[in-house]
Amino acid sequence: MSPIIPVSGGKGDPNIRSEAGFILYVITAFAALGGLLFGYDFGVTSGVMAMPYFQEYFYELTPAIKGALNSLMGCGAVFGCLIVGVLSDRFGRRDTIAGSALIFIVGGILQTASQNIEMQLIGRFVSGLSVGACSVLSPMYNAELAPKEIRGRLVGFQQLMVDIGLLVSGWLDFGTIYIHSDWSWRIPYMVQILPAILLAFCPFLLPRSPRWLVEKGRYDEAMLVLAQVHGNGDQNHPYVQQEFKEIKDSVVLENNLSVGSYIDLLKDSRNHRVLWVGCSIAIFQQLTGANVIMYYAAFMFQQAGLKGSMSLMANGINYIVMVVFCIPGMLLVDRVGRVKLMIWGSTGMCVCFFIIAGLYGGCGYKEWDEASMSHVVNMSENPNAQNAVIAFIFIFVAFYATTWAPVAWIYIAEIFPLRIRSKGFALASSVLWIGNIVVGQVTPVLMDSITWGTYLIYGAIGIGMLVWVILFAPEPKGLSLEEMEVIFKGPLIVTNLNYTEYLAAHHEEIERIREEVNRAAVDKSKGEMSEEKSPL
C-alpha cells in the first residue's frame, strides 16, 4: 500500500536523545492524513459499486467500467508519484502536501456531484493524482522530521492510517446503504473531502521539513525547526546540533553521488540487478491478488450469500482485519526479516485463493446477474461453503496485512545504493502503481468471463512469486547500503547464501565502497568551502 521510507539511524552518539514529546506525534499524525486519504479513496469505491442506487444511477455498469473506476485512480497515482518529486523539491514537502490535498478536494467534489459516468471517471483520476503524491509525501515528511530512535514507528504510522482509511470507508458504505436515494453513494464520496480540507491547512500548522530547508541552504530555519521539535526551543541542544550535522552530511552525500536522470539510472549496468529485484517486488505486491479483495470484496461476499447491507458489513469487518493485522506485521519485520515474511505471506495467500476457487467452483454454479451486469457464482444451495469462503477471505487479508502490505514498501526503500536511492525508489513505486492499474482493469473482466477461475490465476501467479522470492530476493535486514551493494554483485540465486561468510569474504570491497562514499563527502565539502572563500 503506502511507502514506508526508512532513514538510516545516523552515526552520532546514541546516548544523545531528542526531547520530542506529544507535539511530534500530533505533527506526524496530521501529516499522515495523507495516508488516510489514500486508504479511504482506495476502499470507498469497493462498497459504493455494490450499492443498488449506484448501479441504478450509472446503469450498465459493465465489468470494463468497474475496472476503469478502480484503475483510473492508479493511473492518476502514477503521474502523482512522478510529478511530486519535482514539486516537493521546489516548494517543500509540507506545501506540496497541502497542494495535493486541494487536488483531492477537486476529485472528491467531482465524484460526489457526478451526473454521468464520465464525470465519475474523471474524479477518480484527479483523486488518484493526489493519492499518488500523498503516498510518497506524507511518509517522506514524517521520516525527515522524526528522531531516529522512533523514526520507524512514526513512518510506519502512515501504513496504519492507510488501513484506518480503508476501515472508515467500509463502515461508512455500510451505514449509508440504508439511504434510499443516490445520497447513499454520494455521502461516502463527500465525507472524504473533510480530512482533505483539514490537510490543506498544513502550511499554517506544521513546520517545514528540516532536510528540505538544509537542501535549500536555509540553515537558520532548519535549526529553528529542529530546536522547536527536538530541543524544547534550544538551538544548542546536543541532539539538535547532532541531527543538523547528520542531515547536512547526508544532503551533501546524496547531491554528490546521485545519478542525474532516469536515463543515467538505466544505462549503468551496475544498477540492472537491483532495479530488476526492486521493481519485481513492487509489481508482485499488486499481483498477490490483494487488490482483488480490496476492490471487489463486496461482490465476493455477495456471491458467498451476503446480500445488500450484509455484504458491506462483511467488507467493513474485512478492513478491521486489515488494521488489526498491520500491527504484528510492523513488529515482526525487524525480527524475522523481510524475505521470510514475504514467503509466509505468499504461501498463505496462495492456499487461500486455491481454497476459495475450489469452494466457488465445486459448490456453486455460474449465472448472469443483471444488477452487476456480469456473470457471478451462485452458492445459495451450500451455506456451509458460503461461510467457508467468507472465512478464507478474512484469512487472506490477515496474511496480506501482516506481510506484503508493509514489507514490499520497506524492501524497495532499503535495497538501492545511495547513488540511485531516490530515483530507484521512485521508479519501483511507479511500477507498483502500474501493476495496480493492470489488476484493477483486468480483474472484473476475468471475474465476468471465468468467475472462480480468476482466483486460480492469482493463486498460480502467487506460486511463481513465491519461487522467485526464494531464489532471487536477498534479505536486507540488518545490512548497510554498502553491504547490500556487494550482495547484489554476488550469486544470482540467494537461496542458500550465507550472508555472514560472504560479507566477511568481501570485507575489503565493502570498505572500498564505504571509502568512496566518505571521500565524496569530503571532496564536496572542500569544494563548498573553496567557493565560500573565493572573492566575488
Side-chain angles (χ1 to χ4, degrees):
M1 305 290 281
S2 78
I4 299 169
I5 306 174
V7 178
S8 63
K11 300 178 182 178
D13 186 346
N15 296 315
I16 297 177
R17 297 296 183 94
S18 165
E19 293 188 32
F22 178 72
I23 186 63
L24 178 62
Y25 285 91
V26 172
I27 290 171
T28 52
F30 193 98
L33 283 173
L36 182 71
L37 298 181
F38 176 16
Y40 188 100
D41 193 66
F42 195 85
V44 68
T45 302
S46 172
V48 162
M49 285 195 301
M51 292 182 179
Y53 282 97
F54 187 84
Q55 295 171 354
E56 180 182 324
Y57 196 91
F58 301 107
Y59 184 64
E60 293 201 8
L61 202 61
T62 64
I65 292 176
K66 291 176 188 174
L69 283 169
N70 285 319
S71 61
L72 273 173
M73 190 270 281
C75 288
V78 171
F79 287 99
C81 283
L82 296 174
I83 294 170
V84 77
V86 177
L87 294 179
S88 68
D89 283 344
R90 180 173 181 180
F91 300 108
R93 300 7 169 176
R94 182 196 67 181
D95 292 358
T96 310
I97 289 173
S100 300
L102 293 174
I103 293 172
F104 191 91
I105 291 169
V106 173
I109 290 172
L110 287 171
Q111 291 173 83
T112 302
S114 291
Q115 302 299 307
N116 50 57
I117 195 63
E118 291 78 14
M119 193 172 174
Q120 185 70 220
L121 292 170
I122 293 171
R124 291 292 290 165
F125 178 82
V126 173
S127 292
L129 290 170
S130 176
V131 164
C134 287
S135 70
V136 174
L137 284 171
S138 292
M140 180 190 296
Y141 176 85
N142 285 352
E144 294 178 355
L145 200 68
K148 51 184 170 288
E149 56 267 19
I150 59 170
R151 189 168 280 151
R153 183 189 314 167
L154 294 182
V155 176
F157 186 46
Q158 169 81 1
Q159 180 67 43
L160 187 60
M161 291 294 279
V162 171
D163 294 341
I164 290 173
L166 288 166
L167 177 64
V168 172
S169 70
W171 283 101
L172 191 63
D173 284 344
F174 169 68
T176 61
I177 195 174
Y178 294 101
I179 298 174
H180 298 295
S181 71
D182 56 341
W183 282 102
S184 61
W185 58 268
R186 292 189 191 275
I187 289 176
Y189 279 132
M190 182 171 63
V191 167
Q192 68 182 342
I193 298 172
L194 301 179
I197 292 174
L198 187 61
L199 190 61
F201 282 94
C202 67
F204 306 102
L205 302 172
L206 304 184
R208 286 191 179 276
S209 160
R211 181 184 177 87
W212 180 81
L213 290 169
V214 169
E215 286 176 348
K216 297 301 178 183
R218 295 160 64 169
Y219 298 144
D220 291 341
E221 293 177 64
M223 285 290 291
L224 183 61
V225 170
L226 290 170
Q228 290 173 340
V229 174
H230 301 294
N232 293 324
D234 180 11
Q235 294 189 28
N236 294 315
H237 189 284
Y239 182 89
V240 173
Q241 293 290 325
Q242 176 177 287
E243 186 72 1
F244 178 78
K245 182 179 184 304
E246 288 182 6
I247 291 173
K248 192 173 179 181
D249 289 346
S250 177
V251 168
V252 168
L253 269 174
E254 292 194 18
N255 287 345
N256 200 35
L257 291 176
S258 60
V259 294
S261 68
Y262 286 105
I263 294 176
D264 294 336
L265 172 73
L266 296 172
K267 284 170 60 178
D268 192 338
S269 60
R270 294 179 300 170
N271 305 332
H272 291 170
R273 183 180 169 191
V274 69
L275 285 172
W276 171 59
V277 172
C279 292
S280 295
I281 293 294
I283 201 165
F284 284 165
Q285 194 210 46
Q286 301 302 303
L287 296 180
T288 57
N291 284 347
V292 177
I293 306 293
M294 295 299 119
Y295 282 147
Y296 305 108
F299 289 110
M300 293 176 69
F301 287 129
Q302 286 177 356
Q303 293 181 61
L306 300 180
K307 302 301 181 184
S309 63
M310 293 304 296
S311 68
L312 294 184
M313 175 184 284
N315 202 33
I317 296 172
N318 200 32
Y319 293 143
I320 292 177
V321 174
M322 189 79 181
V323 171
V324 170
F325 281 88
C326 170
I327 297 170
M330 299 305 298
L331 297 176
L332 286 171
V333 68
D334 286 322
R335 295 186 181 183
V336 303
R338 289 73 165 129
V339 173
K340 279 187 179 179
L341 277 184
M342 289 190 288
I343 290 172
W344 294 351
S346 296
T347 303
M349 289 186 288
C350 285
V351 171
C352 288
F353 265 144
F354 286 130
I355 292 175
I356 289 171
L359 289 167
Y360 274 136
C363 303
Y365 58 89
K366 182 177 177 180
E367 68 176 13
W368 174 258
D369 180 60
E370 187 64 30
S372 62
M373 296 293 294
S374 64
H375 290 94
V376 299
V377 177
N378 188 324
M379 301 178 68
S380 58
E381 297 177 2
N382 294 278
N384 291 332
Q386 291 176 334
N387 294 334
V389 166
I390 294 168
F392 277 102
I393 290 174
F394 292 146
I395 294 170
F396 178 99
V397 170
F399 271 110
Y400 176 70
T402 308
T403 59
W404 278 87
V407 173
W409 286 108
I410 295 173
Y411 191 92
I412 64 175
E414 286 182 325
I415 63 173
F416 295 107
L418 194 62
R419 68 177 185 278
I420 63 168
R421 192 175 189 187
S422 60
K423 286 184 172 60
F425 179 79
L427 183 64
S429 300
S430 299
V431 169
L432 185 146
W433 280 110
I434 291 170
N436 179 281
I437 296 167
V438 173
V439 171
Q441 186 65 50
V442 169
T443 298
V445 178
L446 289 175
M447 293 175 76
D448 173 48
S449 59
I450 59 175
T451 58
W452 56 269
T454 304
Y455 312 115
L456 288 178
I457 289 176
Y458 281 108
I461 292 173
I463 291 176
M465 289 167 43
L466 175 61
V467 173
W468 189 96
V469 169
I470 292 172
L471 292 176
F472 303 121
E475 174 56 69
K477 174 180 174 286
L479 302 183
S480 68
L481 293 178
E482 294 85 5
E483 289 170 332
M484 278 304 300
E485 187 166 3
V486 169
I487 289 291
F488 275 107
K489 292 180 179 179
L492 183 64
I493 297 176
V494 297
T495 309
N496 297 315
L497 179 64
N498 186 313
Y499 289 83
T500 302
E501 292 181 2
Y502 182 84
L503 292 173
H506 293 79
H507 176 73
E508 291 184 4
E509 186 176 1
I510 294 169
E511 290 304 316
R512 179 185 59 77
I513 296 173
R514 191 168 284 144
E515 179 63 26
E516 287 178 358
V517 170
N518 292 335
R519 194 184 310 120
V522 172
D523 292 344
K524 183 70 174 179
S525 298
K526 288 181 178 178
E528 289 180 347
M529 291 176 62
S530 298
E531 289 178 7
E532 290 175 2
K533 292 178 180 179
S534 62
L536 294 175

